[in-house]
Amino acid sequence: MQRMGLQMTKTGFSFRGPDEGVHALKSWITPEEDIFLVTHMGFVEVDSEHWYLDIDGLVGNPMRLRLTDLQAMPQREYMSFHECAGSPLAPTVAKRRIGNVVWKGVPLSIILERAKIGSDASYIWTSGLEWGEYAGVEETYQKDLPIEKALAEEVLLALEINGRPLSPERGGPVRLVVPGWYGTNSVKWVGSITAANRRASGAYTTRFYNDATPSGVKPVWSVAPESVIVSPSPDDPLSADMPTKIWGWAWGDHQISSVEVSLDGGNSWQNAILEPREDRSWQRFELPWIPTSGTHLLLCRCVDDLGQGQPRSNARNAMHSVRIQIGDGAPLASQSAR
Ligand SMILES: Nc1nc2c(c(=O)[nH]1)N[C@H]1C(S)=C(S)[C@@H](COP(=O)(O)O)O[C@H]1N2
Ligand SMILES: [Mo]
């Protein structure tokens, strides 16, 4: 399975993200260095001349595309939040690995059309080029999408992020991006696309990223509504009676229709001002605040167009909170010693 011109660097699971967590995410478009990085089995480096993508399975016209073929095809840009679902070994822990970026690439639908996808195809499987071990399983990184999502206009074989070619760590030269769905579905270093009539049977679509719910197993696909307080952070020098604002981001596969903020640990809630989204971007919310001295537990929660909200705890989209301590007059020096 090893390909020419391909090597793995830094094998094993790896995560990188900003030290200050969500409080670092102050800009509308997240700069590349502040976007989290995740890989299960290691990073891949593959040189452009040797890179290719095979399209096979239930298609009338199986194809092998080189990088130059993809570069010559029609491309589009799409703005989207990008969120990791968190550890598949702890699916109810909120990790808040999030950013907002502009992807550019070839719509997957164009490639599936050229490959003459069969009417019997109901799932599209995609695999990364790497191999290795994660949580005791040795496998390639294979994911699947139901055909309706695979054909949606926003699903791209991306060549660029924020106007720059994808770096090897980001999944370059080409990765799948599935806007609106959790990051796990956006296969990096994509090497093959297979049309099939059933879900993929590998570990990453069965054992991992498949939530157990009372009504059966639910794949980790569409992103549930979520919101975070970017500012203030516990370290901000706030003073009693000095007007400030509480602001942050809200996002989900479906547009967010309202955000509420609590200043008292969830006893009472106030409506924040909320901006609309572009494509599947995150949405800014804001609430003016004149803090009083003492300790304040700030929380936010949102609701989407379908009326779905956020649980208080025990979910990957559980409500975010920030504890703020404000002294009389001057900010407390002990604030950073949490
Ligand atoms: N080939 C491959 N693709 C992958 C992964 C992986 O381990 N291998 N991890 C997935 C997960 S869980 C996430 S959250 C995103 C992370 O993308 P990023 O590192 O560009 O932020 O890539 C996804 N695509
Ligand atoms: Mo992830």
Side-chain angles (χ1 to χ4, degrees):
M1 85 143 276
Q2 194 162 349
R3 288 207 197 179
M4 285 252 289
L6 186 155
Q7 61 170 34
M8 287 200 63
T9 57
K10 259 208 254 167
T11 49
F13 177 84
S14 157
F15 169 77
R16 196 170 81 208
D19 293 340
E20 322 89 290
V22 297
H23 300 297
L25 306 176
K26 296 228 156 78
S27 53
W28 167 238
I29 305 285
T30 311
E32 164 98 51
E33 62 272 19
D34 287 338
I35 307 166
F36 65 89
L37 268 179
V38 169
T39 187
H40 294 78
M41 295 170 269
F43 292 103
V44 177
E45 274 185 31
V46 52
D47 62 63
S48 315
E49 295 103 89
H50 289 103
W51 185 88
Y52 61 78
L53 171 64
D54 282 335
I55 298 112
D56 54 28
L58 302 174
V59 295
N61 179 30
M63 298 191 296
R64 172 165 293 182
L65 296 173
R66 302 261 160 202
L67 191 55
T68 45
D69 299 326
L70 266 189
Q71 285 163 337
M73 291 170 87
Q75 297 191 26
R76 71 163 295 177
E77 281 191 343
Y78 197 84
M79 189 189 289
S80 182
F81 66 80
H82 173 53
E83 184 182 26
C84 172
S87 169
L89 310 177
T92 58
V93 177
K95 293 282 198 179
R96 326 244 182 241
R97 300 167 178 169
I98 177 73
N100 188 53
V101 299
V102 179
W103 302 105
K104 185 178 181 191
V106 179
L108 179 60
S109 62
I110 293 184
I111 287 157
L112 294 177
E113 259 162 50
R114 292 199 185 176
K116 301 206 174 9
I117 179 157
S119 55
D120 46 346
S122 45
Y123 288 92
I124 300 299
W125 303 353
T126 54
S127 289
L129 290 171
E130 82 273 40
W131 63 94
E133 189 263 331
Y134 172 76
V137 178
E138 190 150 359
E139 248 178 59
T140 54
Y141 193 80
Q142 185 186 47
K143 299 294 293 184
D144 59 16
L145 297 175
I147 192 71
E148 302 77 34
K149 183 67 176 179
L151 292 174
E153 55 163 15
E154 68 273 10
V155 176
L156 305 177
L157 287 171
L159 301 157
E160 289 183 17
I161 184 170
N162 293 350
R164 288 210 301 255
L166 294 179
S167 66
E169 287 183 328
R170 216 28 94 192
V174 182
R175 77 180 292 173
L176 180 70
V177 293
V178 187
W181 287 21
Y182 286 103
T184 171
N185 299 289
S186 292
V187 174
K188 296 157 81 159
W189 314 291
V190 62
S192 69
I193 298 179
T194 303
N197 60 7
R198 60 196 149 85
R199 289 208 67 196
S201 56
Y204 292 91
T205 52
T206 55
R207 181 162 161 192
F208 308 133
Y209 302 107
N210 231 359
D211 290 342
T213 74
S215 51
V217 157
K218 189 175 168 227
V220 177
W221 284 341
S222 181
V223 172
E226 195 173 337
S227 54
V228 291
I229 295 169
V230 173
S231 183
S233 88
D235 306 317
D236 282 352
L238 298 180
S239 309
D241 305 324
M242 283 276 286
T244 182
K245 59 195 175 208
I246 298 164
W247 76 267
W249 305 113
W251 67 91
D253 189 15
H254 300 279
Q255 175 152 237
I256 302 304
S257 47
S258 71
V259 175
E260 290 176 307
V261 172
S262 174
L263 308 172
D264 55 10
N267 289 322
S268 64
W269 296 88
Q270 297 180 51
N271 249 315
I273 302 159
L274 176 66
E275 286 173 15
R277 72 179 183 180
E278 208 175 295
D279 297 338
R280 272 183 179 76
S281 71
W282 58 19
Q283 295 167 243
R284 194 178 193 278
F285 68 85
E286 181 180 315
L287 185 77
W289 184 37
I290 304 175
T292 52
S293 61
T295 299
H296 305 272
L297 184 62
L298 310 181
L299 275 99
C300 59
R301 68 179 185 193
C302 68
V303 173
D304 71 10
D305 279 347
L306 301 183
Q308 308 178 100
Q310 295 185 247
R312 175 72 199 249
S313 58
N314 289 323
R316 64 167 66 83
N317 68 329
M319 291 177 210
H320 182 225
S321 64
V322 179
R323 189 174 295 276
I324 302 288
Q325 215 180 323
I326 293 171
D328 288 311
L332 285 186
S334 64
Q335 270 182 67
S336 52
R338 275 158 303 112

